[in-house]
């Protein structure tokens, strides 16, 4: 590898690490201060649900737009433009004091999120192919760590106006995006002929994806993100129902998130050594068994361990699915992402409906069963096959 190319790839990876981390911070700050948004605008629970739905619809449209626009030459502009738009929207959301204004800004915020999410993942696939070795899990780990940082900042500033917090985070994000504008061209820097690593598509396999395989990747993404949504919305309630304290209940999702970040930090090395299908299959099996055992144990300790195992086991699944979809180009990445977010958005409500008919532990078996399905289908979805 020539020295100039190596330097560009290092810069590209560092830049993308920053973008993933920044995206995690922004989304965590927005989510953590949602109660303040609701109170300041006088929203009912139904009103807040509409705001979140508007953001979700915007994100789906943003992902689709990003898939159409995210050609390599346009990635630098999409990264900078998406980051600036997301930051501006966050600041604007902090000033909204009515349902109508929140609906409009939440939709635009979601669209900007979708464009930026697609752009960073498409750029990550390009960078990984140029590097010739797995880096996707590590990049997604920076998103998880950014989320933990954002949640920490939101907690530390709990007595500060959310308007001030949103404006401060927005200003920081905009300054970072502007400061790195000249560096974004490195995300499309050419690399050497990729060195094939086990379990990922080889050079002759990157020409496209068959439609059945593309939809299988999307289905596995939906199954995985349904589990992530379940952890975000139901882990604390699960612990609360076991008579855990408020702090211990909140620790369930924190343990899940920390375990996921740790798994992603180790994921690239494991993928290089054992191959993508084996790592995803083993991890998903761990997630299924861990959550099932945590639900069956009916104790606080077993529940906490179960959620931690669930996060660790699913940690490399989404990065691996995004990598595989990259063989079909940005539109394929968008398809898998949109399908996956259907699971993320619909999953918590589905679990709530099942819990209303049965019980929460029984309802939470659904993400465990889906993790088992991911384990069973991982080889078929991720093994090297001709397009």
């Amino acid at each position: 590898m020539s020295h100039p190319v190596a330097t560009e790839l290092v810069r590209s990876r560092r830049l993308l690490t920053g973008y993933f981390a920044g995206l995690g911070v922004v989304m965590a700050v927005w989510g953590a201060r949602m109660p303040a948004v609701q109170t300041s605008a006088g929203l009912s629970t139904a009103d807040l649900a509409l705001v979140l739905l508007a953001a979700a619809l915007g994100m789906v449209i943003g992902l689709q737009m990003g898939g159409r626009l995210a050609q390599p030459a346009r990635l630098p502009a999409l990264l900078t433009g998406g980051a600036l738009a997301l930051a501006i929207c966050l600041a604007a959301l902090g000033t909204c004091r009515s349902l109508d204004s929140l609906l409009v800004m939440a939709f635009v915020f979601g669209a900007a999120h979708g464009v930026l999410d697609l752009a960073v993942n498409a750029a990550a696939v390009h960078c990984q192919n140029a590097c010739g070795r797995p880096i996707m899990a590590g990049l997604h780990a920076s998103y998880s760590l950014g989320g933990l940082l954002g949640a920490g900042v939101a907690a530390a500033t709990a007595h500060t106006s959310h308007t001030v917090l949103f404006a401060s985070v927005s200003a920081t994000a905009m300054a970072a995006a502007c400061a790195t504008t000249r560096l974004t061209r490195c995300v499309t820097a050419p690399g050497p002929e990729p060195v094939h690593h086990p379990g990922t598509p080889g050079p002759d396999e990157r020409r496209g994806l068959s439609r059945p395989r593309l939809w299988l990747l999307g289905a596995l993404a939906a199954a995985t993100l349904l589990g992530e949504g379940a952890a975000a919305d139901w882990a604390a309630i699960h612990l609360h129902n076991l008579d855990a304290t408020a702090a211990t209940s909140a620790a369930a999702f924190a343990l899940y998130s920390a375990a996921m970040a740790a798994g992603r930090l180790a994921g690239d090395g494991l993928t290089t050594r054992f191959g993508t299908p084996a790592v995803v299959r083993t991890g998903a099996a761990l997630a299924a068994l861990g959550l099932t055992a945590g639900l069956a144990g009916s104790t606080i300790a077993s529940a906490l361990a179960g959620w931690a195992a669930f996060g660790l086991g699913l940690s490399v699944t989404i990065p691996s699915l995004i990598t595989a979809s990259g063989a079909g180009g940005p539109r394929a990445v968008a398809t898998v992402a949109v399908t996956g977010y259907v699971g993320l958005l619909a999953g918590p409500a589905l679990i709530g409906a099942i819990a209303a008919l049965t019980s929460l532990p029984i309802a939470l078996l659904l993400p465990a069963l889906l993790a088992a399905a991911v384990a069973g289908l991982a080889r078929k979805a991720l093994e090297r096959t001709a397009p």
Side-chain angles (χ1 to χ4, degrees), residues 356-380:
L357 295 174
T358 55
S359 68
L360 183 57
I362 291 178
L364 288 173
L365 286 174
L366 175 61
L369 290 172
L370 290 175
V374 171
L377 294 170
R379 180 173 295 279
K380 182 177 182 179

Side-chain angles (χ1 to χ4, degrees), residues 50 153 194 222 273 318 327:
L50 286 176
V153 169
R273 182 173 182 180
I318 290 298

Side-chain angles (χ1 to χ4, degrees), residues 240-256:
H240 177 74
N241 290 348
L242 295 175
D243 296 324
T245 65
T248 302
S249 297
F253 183 65
L255 279 175
Y256 165 88

Side-chain angles (χ1 to χ4, degrees), residues 51-83:
V51 171
L52 296 177
L53 178 60
L57 291 175
M59 184 172 186
V60 169
I61 291 175
L63 285 167
Q64 293 175 332
M65 289 173 54
R68 294 179 180 276
L69 296 173
Q71 301 304 316
R74 295 173 179 168
L75 286 177
L78 285 179
L79 286 171
T80 302

Side-chain angles (χ1 to χ4, degrees), residues 30-337:
W30 161 245
R33 295 306 299 269
M34 193 68 65
V37 174
Q38 180 180 16
T39 300
S40 67
L43 303 181
S44 66
T45 301
D47 291 337
L48 182 60
L50 286 176
V51 171
L52 296 177
L53 178 60
L57 291 175
M59 184 172 186
V60 169
I61 291 175
L63 285 167
Q64 293 175 332
M65 289 173 54
R68 294 179 180 276
L69 296 173
Q71 301 304 316
R74 295 173 179 168
L75 286 177
L78 285 179
L79 286 171
T80 302
L84 290 174
L86 188 70
I88 292 170
C89 288
L90 179 66
L93 283 167
T95 66
C96 293
R97 297 294 185 269
S98 69
L99 175 60
D100 290 342
S101 61
L102 275 171
L103 287 173
V104 173
M105 287 313 307
F107 178 83
V108 180
F109 178 79
H113 179 197
V115 169
L116 183 57
D117 188 279
L118 193 283
V120 294
N121 277 292
V125 170
H126 178 87
C127 183
Q128 178 170 261
N129 288 343
C131 288
R133 59 188 177 87
I135 63 169
M136 186 69 78
L139 292 174
H140 278 252
S142 66
Y143 176 87
S144 299
L145 294 173
L148 290 175
L149 174 61
V153 169
T157 58
H159 299 294
T160 302
S161 166
H162 74 285
T163 301
V164 174
L165 175 61
F166 286 6
S168 300
V169 173
S170 173
T172 303
M174 290 175 67
C178 291
T180 58
T181 297
R182 291 186 178 182
L183 295 178
T184 54
R185 68 181 186 277
C186 70
V187 300
T188 55
E193 182 66 25
V195 178
H196 178 65
H197 45 269
T200 58
D204 293 336
E205 301 169 84
R206 293 197 181 99
R207 297 173 183 168
L209 285 176
S210 66
R211 186 167 295 276
R213 187 171 177 224
L214 176 62
W215 286 111
L216 177 58
L217 291 171
L220 296 187
T224 302
L225 289 178
L226 183 148
E228 293 194 19
D233 290 1
W234 291 105
I237 296 175
H238 175 219
L239 268 293
H240 177 74
N241 290 348
L242 295 175
D243 296 324
T245 65
T248 302
S249 297
F253 183 65
L255 279 175
Y256 165 88
S257 299
M260 176 163 282
R264 286 176 171 175
L265 287 172
D268 292 328
L270 293 173
T271 299
T272 299
R273 182 173 182 180
F274 299 107
T276 304
V279 173
V280 172
R281 184 173 65 249
T282 302
L286 171 64
L289 292 174
L291 182 57
T292 300
L295 295 171
S298 299
T299 66
I300 293 174
S302 65
L304 289 173
W307 286 111
F310 192 62
L312 180 65
L314 292 183
S315 60
V316 298
T317 305
I318 290 298
S320 299
L321 295 173
I322 292 295
T323 294
S325 66
R331 289 196 182 186
V333 174
T335 297
V336 171

Side-chain angles (χ1 to χ4, degrees), residues 337-358:
V338 169
T339 308
Y341 276 109
V342 169
L344 180 67
L345 298 172
L350 179 59
I351 289 172
I354 296 174
L357 295 174
T358 55

